Each structure stands twice: as structure tokens, then as C-alpha cells.
Amino acid sequence: MDDIQMDDEERWRDLDLLLTRPGRLVGPGFEPCPELRAFLQSPDCRILCVGAGGLGCEILKDLALSGVVHIDVIDMDTIDVSNLNRQFLFRMKDVGQPKATIAAERINARVPGVRVTPHFGRIEDQPADWYRSFAIIILGLDSLEARRYMNSVVCGFLEYDDTGQPDLSTVKPMVDGGTEGFKGHARVILPGHTPCFECTLWLFPPQTKFPLCTLAETPRSAAHCIEYAHLILWGQVRPGEEFDTDSEEHMKWVYERAAERAKQYGIHGVTYQLTQGVVKNIIPAIASTNAIISAQCVLEALKTLTCFSTGLDNYMMYVGSTGLYTHTAKYEKDPNCPICSAGVPVEVDPDCTLQQFIDHLRSDPSLGKHLSAPSVSFGATNLFAHGVFEAETAPNLSRRMADLVPDDGTILTVNDKRLRGPMRVRVRYSSSMKA
Amino acid sequence: MAPVPDPKAKRYDRQLRIWGTHGQQRLESCSICLLKCGPTGSETLKNLVLGGIASFTIVDGEKVEARDLGNNFLVSASSQGEPRAKVVTELLQELNESVSGSYVEEVPEVLITDNPQFFHSFDLVIATQMREQDMVKLDEICRSTGRAKLLIIRSYGLVGYLRASLPEHHIVESKPDSQLDDLRLHQPWPELLQFASSFDLSSLDDIAHSHMPYVVILLQAAERWRAAHGGLLPGTSSADKSAFKAQVASMRRTVDGEENFDEALKAAFHVSTPYRIPSEVRALLDDEAAGAGLGPGSDEFWVMVAALKEFVEDEGAGTLPLEGSIPDMHATTDMYLRVQHLYREKAERDVAAVEAHVRQLLARLGQPADSISHDTVRLYCRHARHLRCVRYRTLAEETGPETARGSVLAAALSAGGGGGLGFCGDLPPGSSDAALYVLLRAADRFHAQTGRYPGAPTADPQDDLPLLRQAAMQSPDSSSGSGAAIISEDLLAETCRAGAAELHVVAAFMGGVAAQEAIKLVTRQFVPIAGTLIYNAMSCTTTALEL
């Protein structure tokens, strides 16, 4: 768009009051000056917004109206009618279009000078190095798995020095937001300092599933009838056909079979709306909670980048259904976290093969008892993996460790069915490895 | 039976799952007036337009200028020089075609003084970024309309403020986060007890035994206990509770694998815990408005509360109507449905009894017998345990020297730290979110004296500290009414530093909170904040103060 003849100082007057004036309640090393906003506006301050949905739309707007210019947004979804009650960048005519693309277009059109770059695709399809190019990453995701993936990528950059302290230049800050109805949370993750996502996995309660015998033999509720049709009957009547939650025909099929079963058992309450809710695990969502959590996330990102005020340390939970309640907790890092801790150091001969390295792990007196058939990965890359990727990664077994994992001090993740969770191992290259 | 494709139902699906079609209907009938459409007002209204309100009218006297392009999403670069109210109205309408918007190019303070009649045509007035003196006047005007609820919001530097004001807000569907099942295992009604006693557990085969709903198990266990304890039920002492649970456990056939017994043990406390009407509901039943104050002009809410009170004293024998739904229980379909039916039947009988009281009351009050529908009676009965009424003092009462709650404020100030429930009190006195409440009022006083805010862009924030400190000391925070407020120097300095800046992120946060509160007030579901909310973006805390 055309450059607007506009006095930048006039435009950013409100923001500048906080960025150029000294304060008492500020972050460590805060230096009020015009250069702070210049930094926010510079290409050195590229910010990634993961997700262009309920949180993402708000995050993009909040960033753009806080002086940030270079913003990337990534999302693999397309726009649906049910998004329109809160994802305010989208219109009815956009339904079917990629969220990231339209979101970027709308922000770029509205906020003079901002440059939002869209990426329509999966977060897994971007190389880990791409994520390294951002000053800070803000998550507006709706799934545990996606968060865990982003967490492992970002924490994968983390390196520790010889004294066991995190190398600050490898710390990639991440801000994570989540909402559900009137509830939400915002948290700041500084790998190596605050707990990472994996450290506090217990914060997310496991999803309750109905026991199969209830679904098959003693249904008592409408939800039981629906899940029977979805999880049991579908496989029996339409074998080999994958159930598509976005297919109206598939959903209608489940609804009708569920209604039949409910009638048979004398159970009331099966509706199409309930069917969708149960099958898709629909989370109710409203504009207000998304606005609140996104704003808090962007505020924390600004604080991390400029120190203009005291930062959230490190988790805020929000409940807005009865009055309004927030609680801030300072969770502690798990010193043995397989994703962000310094990892168990293992001496490795750089010339040894991956197979030899794995054998070495298995014969180690303390590590070996946890391992039977370990898989080894490096960040988001499989070095050797049992199962689906076995054929693809088997050639690596005969390759030199130093070729596969060039840097000393690299953290490798070891997975094994005997382990409760992944194990972090730190490679220490030396030429005297015990045979 | 096939799904009816309704575009509105699809659009609002994610929120209909929260407040239902009846809640949505209330939103879609609501007309809102917004005063000032800077980012705070614009973000609030944006969230409500997305939700599907009927209409809005924006009152704002400014023209779009460069500063708006730095903090407001609802203006465009090409609109500089145009009336801000017009521009925001047009851009908001793009968000939802079902909402109709209009605007008045006028300074809201002038409207309040010159044309109070203006506010009579709205259900909700949202006043943003306005000063205390004008809000006291507006509060009076809104109350006099008998219709308009008032919501006041401010974003001031890294501080947010929100306050609803209306005489009374009645809630039937308060939908608390955690709700206790209404199982009545301590005092089962005759049909339930009869049903439970009709089974000889020992004669059942293993499958039937492990599929007996825990309600039956617990009631039988309770009867056994009574027989061995002179007719008494287990008490609430931990000794009794453990002993009772042990008795239930002894009725198992296998050590594990009988899920219904696992559920029974978890629910055993229902037997020992006596029925209690929640204190908030008790207060409603005893409220003057449902007693001596009940008259022909009484709101439906109080007539219903009065009817419930009569039920409690009569058929209910000290209990409210049965809620009627039960949680899932490990059982055969048949057994579960039979238990479910018993609970529903009893609940229906209670509804009928309450309805009889309602009709009598209406007759006594000279109201038509059908002015409260059967469905309404049903709704009240189902949610009887969670009825709420929130009353709001006027702003004049809150701020008047004779009526201000000085001791409440003093306590909040000395508590130290935010956190909503007086938690994390490791900050020095005068550093709490309550201090920010004092500072906002002090900033308004400062403005009244000087014509600008402390630390306004033209001034050096340091120079303004003495006058702001003095203005803060005029706050009524002690029981004597004229004590000097203890306000931390840090917060004083930060208030001057902020220079009344309206940051987009703070406006967006408050816009979300305000929209949420507006929705609660309009749908009459969930519970609105009962007083003043302070948001401290420096410490990431929120505090509610009932002043």
C-alpha cells in the first residue's frame, strides 16, 4: 500500500510514553529511548504468530498496533462459517480460503506500514532453522500436540555451557496462550529459565474417554450413543473408510445411527449439534476471552523485547464465568526435563557410528536399564526411529556420529517404550570412549 | 430429524454452546450506546458486534487523527480528518451484517449535561475513557431510565478499570464452575428409598451386581448403618466417614473391577452430608424484596423467590426443589434409566408444587395468573440452588465523602499485592491493585485542577508527582473518613510516567473483559463482577473491590 505521509511520533504517541520515559516497575536493564520503538519496527525484530484463528487474529492486530512491523503467521486451516463469531479478520465471502493468507491481507490493508507474511501450511513442514530466525514466537494454538511440537523445536535450540548454565544466545522466548469458553491462560516460556511446556505437562488434564464396554453394551447417555456410532459402528459398516470430521455426510451418518441407537435404548438428547460437539470435541469459544488472552500474550512479548514493564513470571490462569478471577503462578523448571534440561552427559567418540552410540547407551549401567529398542532424534529430526520410519532412517546407523550431529554439546532425545517419557542426552565428543 | 441449515446457527455455533438460543436471543434484542470510540470503546464494541447484538450507537466528538492510527484497529489510514464515530461505525458494521449501527458526532460529556433523554432508548450504555465527575452524573441518568444498564471502562497506561452500575441484577442461570450433584442421599424421598430397598444385592449374579447404580448401593449401605447405629446416619466426622466407606467397600464382591463400587466410595459423602441451602440462596429467600417488600410491581425474580420460600417451608420441608438430573453412573442402561426417571419425576412434582405457590402469589398480588409461564417456573426450579442477585451501589454513594466505604478501601490498601483474593501479600502496603483505584481517582482530581492528566505528553512526569501525591491523599481510606492514603512511590511514579496513555494491548484486554461483562448483563447468565475491577498490567493481576 502507499506510504502514508504521517508523523510517526504523532502516530505512536501513546506507545512512546511508555518506551521513552524511565519507570520504576520495569524489566532488568530497561533503557528508555526512541531506539526501542525503532527496534520493534526493524527487521531484527521478526515475530512469529503460530495460528491465525481466534487467538491468532487478535495477536496479529495487537502486534501491529504495538509498533511491530515484521510479522509472520502460520496456519494450516481454511476459514469456516463457525469462525466468524470471533475471528474478526474474516468475512462470509472468505469461507474456504486459508486463514493465514486472509489474516495477513486484512492486517496489511488496515495498518499502514506493517508487513505480515502468511504461511499456509503445517508447523511441522517448516525446517527447525526457520523458527530460529524470529526474535520471539507467540502461540495461538488449540491442541496439546501442536504446543508440544513447538516446544520441542524451540527448546531444541537451547544449549548449555560447560558450567551447566543456559547459553543466553540460544534462548528463544515463547509466549503461549489458550482459551476455552470463559477460561484461558497466558504463559511465558524462556527455555532454560522458566519451565517449558513439557516440564508442566501435568497442567493439562487427560481427556476422558468413555469405556468401550459402556459404548458397546450399556449406553446411558446421548454422548454414549454418538460415540458408539462414531467409534464402533463406523468401522464395522464402512470399513477402510477414514472418518472425516469436516464431512457433512459423515457427520450426518453418525447422527442418524446415534439417534437410532438412542431410540432403541430409550435414551433422549441426541441432536445434530451434540453429535458435532462430541465427535469433533468442539470447544466453545467467544471473542471476549480470546481478546483478553491474546492481549496479555502480546503485552508479555513486548515486555520481553523491551523490558518496558515487569514481566509475567511465568503463568497466568484466567476464569471469567463467575466475576473475574486471575491467578499468577511461578512454576519451576523440572531439572530432569527431557526437553529443556541440560541432559545426561554421554561421552562419544566422534568417529563411532550411530549404531555403536546406541549400543553404548544400552550398555550404560544407569541409562541402559530404561532402554530396550531406543529411537534417537535430534531436535525435530529422526536419526534412527523404530516403527514407521525404520526403513528410512536405518542407513544412518552406519554413519559417523560427528557427521550426523556436528556440534559438541548437542542435546539428543532418546525414546523407548520402556521410558515414561523421552530422555535428554548431551553429546560430549572425546576420542576416548569406553568400548 | 435431519439438521436444519441455519446460517446464523452455524455462525454462532461456538457461543450457542455456552449460552444457548435463549441467551443468544437476549443478545440479539440488545441496543447498546458507546461513549467514545478510541481503542477501549472500539475493541469492546467489536467483541459485542461479533457476538450479534441488535444495534449500537456511537457517540464521539473527535476526528480521526494520526494518534488513532497508532492504537485503534477500527479506523483506516484514509479516514484521517473524518468523524471518528462515523469511521468506527462503518468498519464495525463490516464484522456482522445482522447488526445495525449508527453514530452521533457529539462530545459525550456535553450530551450528559444537555440531553440526558438521549439515554432512554438503550439497554446498555458503555462509557469509556471518561472522568469520575461525568460518570456520577451518567449513573444517575441511566438509573432514572429504568432500563439502561451502565458499564464504565478505562485504559490508563498499564492499568485497566471496569465498573458496572445498575440497581439490581437477577440471575437464574449463574452456571457456577463446580456444581454439586443434587442426589438427596442424606434425605431420600420415599419413592427413591423404596426403589433402592427393592433389590436383594446378594441374589444378583456378578454382572448385575457390578452394574447396580451407586445410588442404590449407598442407600442400602445407609440403611444398614442406621440399623446398627440406633437409626442415625453416619456423621461428618472423619471417623464416621471412613467407617461408612469401609462398610460400603465390604459390600463389594471383588477387590477391583466393580466400577460402580468405586463410584459409590467417591460419592459416599452424599450420605453423611446434611442438605443445606446455599448461603447466597438463603439470603435471597430472606430478602425483604421477597417478603414484606413483595408487591404488584415486584419483578418476576422476587415473585419466584417468594414462591420458592413457600415451597421450602411447606412441601420441601427445608429443601429447595430437586434439580432433577443425575451424573452418569456405571450401570446397565435399564437400571440407569429407571433411576434417572425417578429423579425427573420427583423434580416435576416439585415444579408443580412451586407452580401452585406461584399462581397463588400472583393472585394475591393482583397479577394475571399466566404472567409467569410454566417454562419459567421450571427454569427457576432447576437452577434454584444457584440463584443470585447482585446489587450495585451508585457511583455517588461510592465516591461521596459521607457514604464511601473507607474502611474497606483501607483494608484493601494495606493488604499488599494483587491476585484477586488478597493472595500473595508479600508486597508492601500501598502497592496493591487497590492503590491503582486511588490513583485513577487522583488523576481525575489532578485533571479537574489543571485541565490535563499527570505526566501528559507536554509535561515532565517528575514535576507532576507532588500534585498527584496530594490528590491521592484526599482519598477516603480510613474509618474516620479523612485519613491520608498510603500509596507506594513506585505506583505514583508509574502513574505519572503513563501520562494517561491509551495502549492498544491494554485497551484490547479491557475490551475483552468489558464485552464479557456486557454479555453477562444482557444474557442474564453467569455472574458479573460485583464491584470495581482493577487490572494491573505491570504485575499481571486483577482485583475486584466492592466499594
Side-chain angles (χ1 to χ4, degrees):
Chain A
M1 71 173 294
D2 297 331
D3 274 305
I4 301 297
Q5 274 300 101
M6 186 193 324
D7 186 333
D8 235 25
E9 267 182 34
E10 262 305 299
R11 179 181 177 190
W12 299 109
R13 199 192 82 172
D14 293 88
L15 189 61
D16 283 348
L17 286 172
L18 277 308
L19 293 181
T20 62
R21 289 171 158 189
R24 304 273 194 105
L25 301 172
V26 295
F30 173 56
E31 284 191 34
C33 57
E35 282 73 20
L36 274 183
R37 175 161 56 80
F39 164 67
L40 288 176
Q41 294 171 311
S42 75
D44 290 331
C45 184
R46 266 182 88 199
I47 302 193
L48 176 65
C49 176
V50 183
L55 290 166
C57 287
E58 291 281 338
I59 290 168
L60 290 172
K61 161 182 69 74
D62 295 345
L63 284 170
L65 287 170
S66 300
V68 180
V69 170
H70 302 271
I71 307 168
D72 283 61
V73 60
I74 181 167
D75 193 305
M76 63 180 185
D77 276 340
T78 56
I79 298 162
D80 181 74
V81 176
S82 64
N83 300 148
L84 303 179
N85 79 324
R86 64 205 184 279
Q87 298 173 25
F88 65 95
L89 296 174
F90 311 139
R91 307 281 171 264
M92 194 62 83
K93 64 181 189 326
D94 302 321
V95 171
Q97 296 296 313
K99 290 189 179 184
T101 314
I102 302 297
E105 243 172 62
R106 297 286 151 76
I107 299 279
N108 289 337
R110 179 63 55 83
V111 182
V114 77
R115 291 190 214 165
V116 183
T117 307
H119 305 272
F120 172 41
R122 291 158 35 92
I123 50 182
E124 294 88 347
D125 293 342
Q126 296 291 339
D129 249 357
W130 181 69
Y131 292 101
R132 219 192 273 263
S133 59
F134 298 100
I136 199 166
I137 297 175
I138 307 180
L139 307 183
L141 293 165
D142 60 2
S143 84
L144 187 63
E145 298 76 39
R147 285 188 176 93
R148 283 180 90 173
Y149 178 79
M150 285 306 307
N151 187 65
S152 70
V153 167
V154 166
C155 291
F157 301 142
L158 179 66
E159 284 170 28
Y160 287 80
D161 64 26
D162 289 319
T163 66
Q165 291 305 305
D167 176 350
L168 288 178
S169 70
T170 64
V171 173
K172 179 78 57 199
M174 197 162 60
V175 180
D176 173 56
T179 63
E180 183 174 332
F182 283 106
K183 295 187 181 165
H185 78 267
R187 71 188 297 183
V188 177
I189 295 177
L190 298 170
H193 295 88
T194 68
C196 79
F197 204 74
E198 207 77 8
C199 293
T200 54
L201 212 51
W202 48 266
L203 278 170
F204 287 78
Q207 241 195 310
T208 40
K209 303 232 182 263
F210 299 127
L212 276 176
C213 57
T214 300
L215 300 185
E217 285 147 43
T218 56
R220 295 178 292 270
S221 68
H224 293 159
C225 299
I226 291 164
E227 287 289 62
Y228 170 80
H230 169 221
L231 299 173
I232 297 177
L233 204 55
W234 177 274
Q236 288 173 0
V237 176
R238 297 170 75 148
E241 218 184 323
E242 199 182 318
F243 183 83
D244 178 6
T245 53
D246 290 322
S247 158
E248 209 170 292
E249 193 271 311
H250 290 195
M251 195 63 68
K252 209 169 152 239
W253 188 96
V254 167
Y255 163 69
E256 283 166 2
R257 300 294 165 295
E260 273 167 34
R261 185 170 176 80
K263 192 165 174 207
Q264 191 193 338
Y265 278 85
I267 294 167
H268 300 287
V270 174
T271 62
Y272 189 72
Q273 200 204 22
L274 183 66
T275 304
Q276 283 180 308
V278 170
V279 171
K280 291 167 94 159
N281 192 31
I282 290 178
I283 296 172
I286 43 183
S288 49
T289 318
N290 281 337
I292 293 164
I293 295 299
S294 305
Q296 188 67 45
C297 286
V298 173
L299 178 59
E300 292 310 315
L302 289 173
K303 290 178 187 180
T304 305
L305 292 165
T306 66
C307 297
F308 84 109
S309 184
T310 48
L312 169 64
D313 186 14
N314 48 62
Y315 191 105
M316 182 179 100
M317 65 95 92
Y318 174 89
V319 182
S321 49
T322 300
L324 190 152
Y325 175 68
T326 59
H327 177 68
T328 308
K330 182 175 171 157
Y331 290 119
E332 298 289 332
K333 224 175 55 152
D334 176 359
N336 297 315
C337 177
I339 301 296
C340 77
S341 73
V344 181
V346 174
E347 295 265 331
V348 184
D349 180 340
D351 288 324
C352 81
T353 63
L354 178 60
Q355 180 67 67
Q356 286 171 320
F357 170 73
I358 290 175
D359 293 339
H360 175 65
L361 287 179
R362 291 183 60 193
S363 61
D364 181 283
S366 59
L367 302 176
K369 58 180 184 252
H370 299 298
L371 306 174
S372 61
S375 301
V376 181
S377 54
F378 158 42
T381 312
N382 285 316
L383 292 179
F384 175 68
H386 285 281
V388 181
F389 298 108
E390 194 157 336
E392 192 184 312
T393 55
N396 286 341
L397 290 170
S398 50
R399 292 182 60 192
R400 266 178 92 228
M401 278 301 288
D403 291 334
L404 288 169
V405 182
D407 301 322
D408 182 40
T410 302
I411 314 252
L412 298 181
T413 308
V414 178
N415 279 286
D416 191 289
K417 60 178 189 280
R418 277 227 205 125
L419 284 170
R420 233 185 15 160
M423 178 171 73
R424 228 176 187 226
V425 150
R426 214 158 136 228
V427 169
R428 308 298 261 134
Y429 283 127
S430 76
S431 16
S432 57
M433 188 182 86
K434 292 142 199 119
Chain B
M1 275 309 223
V4 180
D6 172 9
K8 263 196 183 175
K10 270 189 169 187
R11 184 194 189 100
Y12 298 129
D13 179 81
R14 299 301 186 267
Q15 65 196 42
L16 287 169
R17 290 172 192 273
I18 297 176
W19 50 70
T21 45
H22 58 296
Q24 186 64 27
Q25 267 157 24
R26 286 215 165 110
L27 268 180
E28 290 179 20
S29 325
C30 177
S31 75
I32 294 182
C33 172
L34 173 69
L35 302 182
K36 301 208 178 175
C37 54
T40 306
S42 299
E43 287 294 310
T44 304
L45 202 47
K46 154 188 144 271
N47 297 329
L48 291 169
V49 166
L50 288 168
I53 52 172
S55 63
F56 65 85
T57 301
I58 299 180
V59 180
D60 188 291
E62 307 298 311
K63 305 275 190 220
V64 175
E65 49 181 44
R67 185 191 170 197
D68 296 303
L69 288 154
N71 68 5
N72 195 341
F73 190 77
L74 277 307
V75 301
S76 60
S78 58
S79 65
Q80 280 186 91
E82 288 183 50
R84 198 165 67 167
K86 170 175 178 281
V87 173
V88 174
T89 298
E90 282 164 6
L91 293 179
L92 278 176
Q93 287 192 282
E94 286 178 9
L95 300 178
N96 193 338
E97 284 155 8
S98 314
V99 179
S100 53
S102 65
Y103 67 94
V104 173
E105 194 184 353
E106 177 58 275
V107 174
E109 288 85 347
V110 169
L111 206 59
I112 288 171
T113 313
D114 295 352
N115 187 12
Q117 276 297 112
F118 177 82
F119 299 101
H120 284 249
S121 47
F122 300 104
D123 300 303
L124 177 65
V125 176
I126 302 177
T128 68
Q129 306 301 85
M130 294 181 72
R131 284 181 288 281
E132 181 180 307
Q133 307 91 292
D134 298 300
M135 293 299 85
V136 171
K137 284 188 217 160
L138 182 60
D139 184 21
E140 224 177 274
I141 293 170
C142 288
R143 292 208 183 207
S144 73
T145 68
R147 170 188 174 185
K149 303 176 198 200
L150 176 61
L151 196 58
I152 303 167
I153 324 153
R154 286 177 88 162
S155 306
Y156 191 108
L158 290 165
V159 178
Y161 166 102
L162 178 138
R163 163 71 146 96
S165 189
L166 57 154
E168 239 180 47
H169 181 68
H170 309 135
I171 311 153
V172 181
E173 293 173 271
S174 63
K175 297 184 174 173
D177 229 25
S178 59
Q179 298 184 35
L180 213 55
D181 297 318
D182 194 12
L183 296 178
R184 306 289 174 96
L185 299 184
H186 184 83
Q187 247 174 295
W189 64 96
E191 288 84 353
L192 182 64
L193 191 55
Q194 208 178 332
F195 173 80
S197 312
S198 68
F199 298 97
D200 178 7
L201 294 182
S202 60
S203 72
L204 297 174
D205 66 49
D206 285 355
I207 294 184
H209 192 265
S210 65
H211 282 79
M212 261 293 150
Y214 67 77
V215 158
V216 171
I217 296 171
L218 287 174
L219 286 173
Q220 288 208 6
E223 289 308 289
R224 268 199 218 180
W225 178 283
R226 266 200 219 260
H229 292 82
L232 294 171
L233 280 172
T236 49
S237 69
S238 46
D240 267 14
K241 288 206 264 197
S242 318
F244 180 66
K245 275 170 108 166
Q247 187 185 285
V248 172
S250 73
M251 290 161 68
R252 300 183 93 121
R253 278 195 192 163
T254 59
V255 175
D256 62 349
E258 287 196 296
E259 277 181 57
N260 55 339
F261 278 87
D262 295 337
E263 291 176 342
L265 290 167
K266 279 207 193 107
F269 70 92
H270 280 277
V271 174
S272 46
T273 312
Y275 181 92
R276 209 183 57 93
I277 293 180
S279 55
E280 285 110 342
V281 180
R282 184 79 258 168
L284 288 177
L285 298 176
D286 296 337
D287 197 296
E288 215 235 350
L294 199 68
S298 284
D299 191 278
E300 166 191 285
F301 182 81
W302 293 114
V303 176
M304 283 306 312
V305 170
L308 286 168
K309 183 174 189 187
E310 288 184 2
F311 173 87
V312 169
E313 288 163 2
D314 187 350
E315 299 93 339
T319 72
L320 290 164
L322 182 71
E323 201 253 337
S325 68
I326 53 170
D328 190 28
M329 296 173 189
H330 196 83
T332 58
T333 307
D334 179 58
M335 283 301 302
Y336 181 80
L337 291 180
R338 288 170 73 182
V339 173
Q340 194 180 59
H341 181 74
L342 276 165
Y343 277 83
R344 285 199 180 138
E345 248 214 340
K346 160 79 162 110
E348 280 304 316
R349 287 203 299 274
D350 285 356
V351 169
V354 172
E355 190 158 9
H357 288 289
V358 172
R359 305 284 162 241
Q360 279 168 31
L361 274 165
L362 287 172
R364 273 206 333 255
L365 296 172
Q367 302 276 33
D370 60 357
S371 54
I372 297 181
S373 72
H374 174 77
D375 283 346
T376 300
V377 176
R378 248 241 198 93
L379 193 73
Y380 273 82
C381 287
R382 210 157 45 124
H383 296 276
R385 293 174 305 154
H386 308 119
L387 299 178
R388 296 282 292 268
C389 171
V390 185
R391 290 181 167 117
Y392 294 86
R393 303 217 307 156
T394 65
L395 283 175
E397 283 170 320
E398 177 182 324
T399 59
E402 305 297 311
T403 48
R405 285 189 178 149
S407 49
V408 173
L409 183 56
L413 283 170
S414 59
L421 295 177
F423 186 64
C424 50
D426 53 349
L427 285 178
S431 314
S432 65
D433 296 346
L436 293 170
Y437 167 83
V438 173
L439 282 165
L440 277 173
R441 296 190 60 195
D444 281 350
R445 253 176 238 122
F446 186 107
H447 192 286
Q449 289 165 33
T450 64
R452 61 174 182 80
Y453 284 111
T458 49
D460 182 338
Q462 292 285 78
D463 293 344
D464 286 345
L465 270 171
L467 188 57
L468 182 64
R469 201 182 286 113
Q470 196 180 79
M473 288 204 283
Q474 289 161 40
S475 161
D477 72 315
S478 71
S479 40
S480 70
S482 63
I486 323 150
I487 303 295
S488 87
E489 280 300 307
D490 282 349
L491 290 181
L492 267 161
E494 287 293 329
T495 305
C496 285
R497 173 191 177 205
E502 197 174 353
L503 295 176
H504 182 82
V505 281
V506 178
F509 186 100
M510 292 311 297
V513 173
Q516 168 193 284
E517 292 305 298
I519 286 168
K520 290 178 192 173
L521 291 174
V522 171
T523 60
R524 296 205 205 138
Q525 296 183 28
F526 303 98
V527 184
I529 297 163
T532 304
L533 181 87
I534 297 291
Y535 165 55
N536 182 343
M538 298 171 273
S539 60
C540 310
T541 52
T542 56
T543 301
L545 302 161
E546 281 183 59
L547 302 165

